[in-house]
């Protein structure tokens, strides 16, 4: 079965622009979560979507937003980009079956803001 | 306050040695989840385990084992008979179920397995 896919894989943007990243989860997974990884701050949780509803949100400014579509695909958007938004953005899809939990990550989108 | 501490920044061991990665957490909640993740040099994060706070049984999966001790707020990860492919950065994480499931990561431990 296909894994989690993220597009684009690499992106260069200028300060002040906005960007949209896409994530396609594993088929059948309804939960999609997003993470930001930077050398300085490490791994940080952005938000989680389940069945088109934002279920959890990390401590990020309102410039960071996301959504999930009826096919579970998710997008995250960052508006008014800042240099500090340069990071690896990881998406994961997960499923809980009884006590069993599985989570799979995509390869990430590396965003560079200049 | 919610916090995850991985005191070992970097560890190097010779192949076939056993190695334990430490994880100490802080939480005010009684219901929470603990995680371990692996990030090999390729950069893709790999989920290893999620443990519920009510389940203190140790877990073994092949060469990997996890020791959960509530009394010391620790969730340590041991790799037995390490292999070069185990070289990676390992992250421990905590999610408090009563606080919107926000997940907090430790800073990670970089593990080098020397041939």
């Amino acid at each position: 079965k296909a894994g989690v896919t993220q597009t684009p894989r690499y992106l260069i943007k200028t300060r002040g622009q906005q960007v949209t990243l896409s994530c396609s989860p594993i088929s059948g997974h309804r939960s999609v979560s997003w993470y930001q990884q930077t050398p300085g701050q490490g791994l940080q949780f952005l938000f989680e979507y389940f069945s088109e509803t934002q279920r959890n949100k990390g401590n990020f400014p309102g410039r960071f937003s996301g959504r999930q579509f009826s096919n579970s695909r998710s997008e995250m958007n960052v508006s008014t980009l800042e240099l500090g938004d340069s990071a690896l953005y990881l998406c994961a899809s997960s499923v809980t079956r009884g006590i069993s939990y599985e989570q799979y990550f995509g390869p990430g989108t590396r965003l560079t803001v200049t | 306050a919610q916090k995850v501490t991985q005191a070992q920044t970097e560890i190097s061991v010779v192949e076939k040695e056993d190695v334990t990665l430490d994880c100490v957490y802080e939480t005010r909640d009684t219901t929470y989840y603990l995680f371990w993740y692996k990030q090999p040099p390729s950069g893709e994060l790999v989920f290893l385990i999620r443990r519920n706070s009510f389940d203190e049984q140790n877990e073994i999966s092949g060469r990997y084992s996890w020791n959960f001790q509530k009394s010391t707020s620790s969730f340590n990860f041991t790799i037995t008979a390490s292999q070069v492919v185990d070289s990676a950065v390992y992250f421990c994480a905590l999610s408090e179920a009563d606080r919107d499931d926000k997940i907090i990561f430790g800073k990670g431990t970089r593990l080098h397995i020397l041939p």
Side-chain angles (χ1 to χ4, degrees):
Chain A
K1 99 179 139 175
V4 178
T5 57
Q6 291 187 247
T7 56
R9 292 292 311 279
Y10 302 92
L11 205 49
I12 300 175
K13 289 286 189 178
T14 304
R15 264 183 306 177
Q17 288 186 314
Q18 76 164 23
V19 67
T20 298
L21 312 182
S22 181
C23 172
S24 292
I26 289 174
S27 178
H29 289 195
R30 291 194 290 167
S31 173
V32 174
S33 50
W34 289 88
Y35 306 83
Q36 181 198 64
Q37 186 174 29
T38 60
Q41 298 299 316
L43 267 168
Q44 296 186 88
F45 168 75
L46 277 158
F47 26 64
E48 184 205 2
Y49 286 87
F50 183 86
S51 293
E52 302 179 65
T53 301
Q54 186 181 84
R55 198 155 65 169
N56 302 301
K57 191 176 191 302
N59 297 324
F60 278 82
R63 300 186 298 108
F64 290 80
S65 63
R67 59 179 176 168
Q68 187 179 32
F69 301 94
S70 58
N71 61 357
S72 292
R73 189 177 70 85
S74 177
E75 288 181 349
M76 68 162 279
N77 183 77
V78 188
S79 62
T80 321
L81 283 166
E82 300 177 359
L83 294 179
D85 297 332
S86 294
L88 179 66
Y89 290 88
L90 294 162
C91 164
S93 74
S94 61
V95 64
T96 301
R97 298 188 180 100
I99 62 170
S100 166
Y101 175 84
E102 296 172 6
Q103 185 180 41
Y104 297 91
F105 285 81
T109 293
R110 185 160 298 280
L111 170 66
T112 302
V113 182
T114 62
Chain B
Q2 190 183 14
K3 188 178 177 182
V4 176
T5 302
Q6 294 181 257
Q8 303 150 309
T9 306
E10 202 157 344
I11 300 175
S12 293
V13 299
V14 176
E15 198 174 17
K16 295 182 185 170
E17 285 185 353
D18 299 346
V19 57
T20 294
L21 309 183
D22 298 333
C23 174
V24 174
Y25 62 92
E26 291 178 31
T27 177
R28 289 174 291 182
D29 285 356
T30 55
T31 305
Y32 51 89
Y33 293 106
L34 295 163
F35 303 78
W36 274 97
Y37 297 91
K38 173 183 179 180
Q39 190 170 40
S42 62
E44 194 159 328
L45 212 55
V46 177
F47 163 80
L48 295 177
I49 189 172
R50 184 183 83 163
R51 176 49 52 90
N52 183 302
S53 56
F54 294 112
D55 182 4
E56 288 190 71
Q57 276 193 324
N58 291 332
E59 174 108 7
I60 298 175
S61 176
R63 296 183 298 105
Y64 294 172
S65 63
W66 291 270
N67 181 262
F68 177 27
Q69 294 205 340
K70 264 184 165 176
S71 59
T72 55
S73 297
S74 66
F75 187 45
N76 297 337
F77 172 35
T78 297
I79 301 175
T80 303
S82 60
Q83 300 177 2
V84 173
V85 293
D86 296 327
S87 296
V89 180
Y90 290 86
F91 294 95
C92 180
L94 165 70
S95 169
E96 292 177 332
D98 294 338
R99 295 184 191 279
D100 299 328
D101 276 331
K102 291 180 183 176
I103 183 168
I104 300 293
F105 291 88
K107 296 292 185 188
T109 296
R110 185 175 296 277
L111 177 63
H112 300 278
I113 307 298
L114 308 172

